[in-house]
Amino acid sequence: MLTCNEIHRIWNHLSNAERSKEEKKSHVIFQFLALGTHYGKVYLLDVQGNITQKFDVSPVKINQISLDESGEHMGVCSEDGKVQVFGLYSGEEFHETFDCPIKIIAVHPHFVKSSCKQFVTGGKKLLLFERSWMSRWKSSVLHEGEGNIRSVKWRGHLIAWANNMGVKIFDITSKQRITNVPRDDISLRPDMYPCSLCWKDSVTLIIGWGTSVKICSVKERHASEMRDLPSRYVEIVSQFETEFYISGLAPLCDQLVVLSYVKEVSEKTEREYCARPRLDIIQPLSETCEEISSDALTVRGFQENECRDYHLEYSEGESLFYIVSPRDIVVAKERDQDDHIDWLLEKKKYEEALMAAEISQKNIKRHKILDIGLAYINHLVEKGDYDIAARKCQKILGKNTALWECEVYKFKEIGQLKAISPYLPRGDPILKPLIYEMILHEFLESDYEGFATLIREWPGDLYNNSVIVQAVRDHLKKDSQNRTLLKTLAELYTYDKNYGNALEIYLTLRHKDVFQLIHKHNLFSSIKDKIVLLMDFDSEKAVDMLLDNEDKISIKKVVEELEDRPELQHVYLHKLFKRDHHKGQRYHEKQISLYAEYDRPNLLPFLRDSTHCPLEKALEICQQRNFVEETVYLLSRMGNSRSALKMIMEELHDVDKAIEFAKEQDDGELWEDLILYSIDKPPFITGLLNNIGTHVDPILLIHRIKEGMEIPNLRDSLVKILQDYNLQILLREGCKKILVADSLSLLKKMHRTQMKGVLVDEENICESCLSPILPSDAAKPFSVVVFHCRHMFHKECLPVPSMSSPAQFCGICSAKHRGPGSAILEMKK
């Protein structure tokens, strides 16, 4: 982008100045047209528009100036037909006078080299001047006969010029004209709408004439195509029309800078008038263009200017563009990030300016991120956006403690300490304790909840804890029951390691953090006399904590402390029993009464699991309270099953439970008592018939049923008995089949195993004489006996069979009561 909002009004401060030879490459040459006392003067300017040198070259108006690329030689042509080429820093000079005004001059770009002492002039014809042998100058006509030469641009070995008919390009090396680009709009007067030429590089020429722009590329012709043609040719790679008349062109990377002459129609008078000239940046395409940016330039006298009055010159190395008008020269430069940030700051877009500075921090030169950030904070404060301003402090101030403290005091002056408090640094860096204390006092005076939040969030080492504790205590004198202040005071005591006072406040408030405090700081010695308070607050957590720390607070101590609160004592002892049935065995007798009073559903499981419970005491308590199920269990456990069964039948009237009890005891006499008790009760008989089949012969029950007694669901019960009997028969048969099949399978396996051969080699020994089983002399006859147990003997080492015991057995296995092993193999030789 180009910026023209910083316009250098060069015209107003022309003055003499001198610069060293080393600065010459940044100079731009331009002439002033029709300027009274300045006729015939040439001014040499640097890139800032300051005049460095002034030359008096002619008594009449100067038409054009040309400078070589080194900036050491300048060519000047004037209205009186005089042409001068001279060195700016040497005595070298050439003069020639023609009989007609010379409008155009162009010096070879490398004029400083001795082989390139050439320049061209244009009037009615285009002349090339070359210095030959003996330093003499000779001229040759390059072109004539098509009207005045309007413009000339020289780049490398190529000269481009425009006349009334179009644009030509001449190759100095081959001495050939290589192209002719005709003018498009011949209706425009060439003197009023002159052609603008510029070289983008050594082979790319940009032509602007009227509203037309052409981009031409000079290319090498293939050798097979040359014949009588020039070695180079020109291809138009892009051609498009613009909205306004072109006064000047210049390249900008792959884009174009276009100076346009603008005419508009007045809405009131409907007449055309000259508007401000425009400086546009466009992106050329093949047949059109895309506008990137556009600036309307305010130059003096633009209402009276014509298209030919504007010129655009540029300095390639500096990316500077000079817009020349009769009364003004405007310098346009490529906008950098500093310019962009200046514009954003001017528009009060501080956030965008800060972001742009952060992204381009390596490229900005005139701005600092910190300065922009501080300006942004001040802007937000002025707007009243205190929270946003405070939030931005974190990013902008970073670790600069001095700036942080300065900003805190600024917020204090405007009464907005609360706004900045959440964003103060708490670790790296750390501000002075006074800063944090000042903010805490501000909250303490007006916002207890906010004060408590800061105490929780801020580390205790940021401020003087004793100062804040005293301030809180002073406020509690006015409001002693304020829970927020009490809780905050407890936290402050904790930071100060005054755990006793903190624990007392937490217990008073019944705060959930009391258990965490005890665990974290091992305060068990401080809670031995506060167990009841802890249990009242949260019995579950308190019991878990006490049981987890039996080594610090004994079971005996806890039971004693809870003596006056039996309901809490039961909760503690119940959890203790759940964890370990034996740890609290000395209190099992006490627990019977506690379960009976406070937790009967868990009494029976306790009686079943406890091995230390006195059964007589338990039976007495259960009988007093008429706990039938518990009494039944205790009677059965004490061996009085008949009384227990009687109680089930008489008290509970539950035949299923009675049958289940009889099954558990598995006592024939108990079943007899159950049958005798049920024989006159049809519902009980039905229950017995449905469940007795697998334990007692149902015939014993059926024979005792009186004839004519009506028994509900008798048929279904008898069917069930028969089905159960059939099922038992089927199970027995199935088991028998499985047993026979398994026996046969194992017998076959044993037979296969015993039929296998046994390896006998030199390593085996006789289990009787312990000598090798095989003789050392293989030719000697021998006899070996091998038993199924794999023990081996020489036959002569075994006892001789007798009439009473004709079979032979392994003496080792028989001695170990493994059963006799018969001989499976006898080897002889």
Side-chain angles (χ1 to χ4, degrees), residues 169 178-179 181 216-219 221 232-236:
I169 299 178
I178 60 177
T179 191
V181 182
C216 304
S217 178
V218 179
K219 299 184 177 182
R221 198 183 300 275
R232 295 182 177 185
Y233 69 98
V234 172
E235 179 181 335
I236 299 177

Side-chain angles (χ1 to χ4, degrees), residues 8-15 28-45 49-51 53-55 57-58 60-65 77 300 309 311 322-330:
H8 297 274
R9 298 292 180 177
I10 302 171
W11 190 269
N12 297 327
H13 56 267
L14 295 178
S15 62
V28 175
I29 302 299
F30 63 91
Q31 74 278 9
F32 296 100
L33 306 178
L35 178 64
T37 60
H38 292 288
Y39 269 41
K41 291 181 173 58
V42 174
Y43 296 92
L44 192 63
L45 282 78
N50 300 314
I51 298 174
Q53 292 190 51
K54 181 179 70 172
F55 300 92
V57 296
S58 175
V60 297
K61 184 177 75 172
I62 294 174
N63 286 331
Q64 193 175 23
I65 302 169
C77 62
R300 289 180 294 180
D309 295 328
H311 302 278
Y322 297 85
I323 298 94
V324 181
S325 72
R327 302 181 63 188
D328 269 336
I329 296 177
V330 178

Side-chain angles (χ1 to χ4, degrees), residues 404-472:
W404 266 110
E405 291 170 4
C406 179
E407 288 300 322
V408 171
Y409 282 113
K410 286 182 181 178
F411 275 78
K412 182 180 186 301
E413 290 175 4
I414 58 176
Q416 292 296 329
L417 280 177
K418 289 183 180 180
I420 201 172
S421 63
Y423 309 106
L424 285 183
R426 305 171 188 180
D428 183 20
I430 296 178
L431 309 182
K432 294 178 182 177
L434 180 62
I435 298 294
Y436 301 101
E437 292 167 14
M438 180 172 64
I439 293 176
L440 289 172
H441 279 293
E442 177 78 15
F443 275 92
L444 189 57
E445 293 297 329
S446 58
D447 183 3
Y448 288 162
E449 291 295 336
F451 174 74
T453 301
L454 289 183
I455 293 298
R456 282 195 302 272
E457 293 178 353
W458 285 0
D461 57 351
L462 294 180
Y463 48 85
N464 189 330
N465 201 59
S466 58
V467 172
I468 304 302
V469 168
Q470 187 58 48
V472 175

Side-chain angles (χ1 to χ4, degrees), residues 255-272:
Q255 299 168 345
L256 287 180
V257 179
V258 180
L259 177 63
S260 300
Y261 171 69
V262 181
K263 280 190 173 184
E264 294 181 354
V265 178
S266 173
E267 294 181 359
K268 296 181 180 179
T269 62
E270 297 185 356
R271 296 176 61 185
E272 277 192 343

Side-chain angles (χ1 to χ4, degrees), residues 153-171:
K153 292 294 180 182
W154 196 330
R155 183 68 175 256
H157 299 293
L158 298 175
I159 304 173
W161 71 91
N163 56 27
N164 294 347
M165 305 304 293
V167 176
K168 280 77 174 173
I169 299 178
F170 185 83
D171 187 349

Side-chain angles (χ1 to χ4, degrees), residues 174-304:
S174 63
K175 303 294 185 180
Q176 289 180 310
R177 194 173 71 184
I178 60 177
T179 191
N180 174 40
V181 182
R183 180 159 62 108
D184 290 335
D185 190 354
I186 60 174
S187 64
L188 296 176
R189 289 176 53 185
D191 59 330
M192 298 298 293
Y193 297 93
C195 177
S196 297
L197 300 175
C198 73
W199 287 98
K200 180 180 179 181
D201 52 47
S202 58
V203 293
T204 305
L205 176 67
I206 305 171
I207 305 170
W209 206 334
T211 59
S212 172
V213 176
K214 295 178 182 177
I215 301 177
C216 304
S217 178
V218 179
K219 299 184 177 182
E220 296 288 339
R221 198 183 300 275
H222 193 271
S224 62
E225 300 175 352
M226 291 185 60
R227 299 178 185 173
D228 297 329
L229 299 175
S231 60
R232 295 182 177 185
Y233 69 98
V234 172
E235 179 181 335
I236 299 177
V237 296
S238 176
Q239 179 175 352
F240 52 87
E241 294 290 323
T242 62
E243 189 177 352
F244 306 109
Y245 298 108
I246 298 169
S247 294
L249 291 170
L252 179 64
C253 298
D254 61 338
Q255 299 168 345
L256 287 180
V257 179
V258 180
L259 177 63
S260 300
Y261 171 69
V262 181
K263 280 190 173 184
E264 294 181 354
V265 178
S266 173
E267 294 181 359
K268 296 181 180 179
T269 62
E270 297 185 356
R271 296 176 61 185
E272 277 192 343
Y273 67 93
C274 297
R276 292 185 299 168
R278 282 180 30 165
L279 189 67
D280 298 335
I281 298 178
I282 61 174
Q283 179 67 57
L285 304 175
S286 59
E287 296 182 358
T288 183
C289 65
E290 179 184 349
E291 184 179 285
I292 306 300
S293 71
S294 179
D295 287 298
L297 307 180
T298 302
V299 295
R300 289 180 294 180
F302 68 86
Q303 301 90 340
E304 304 168 2

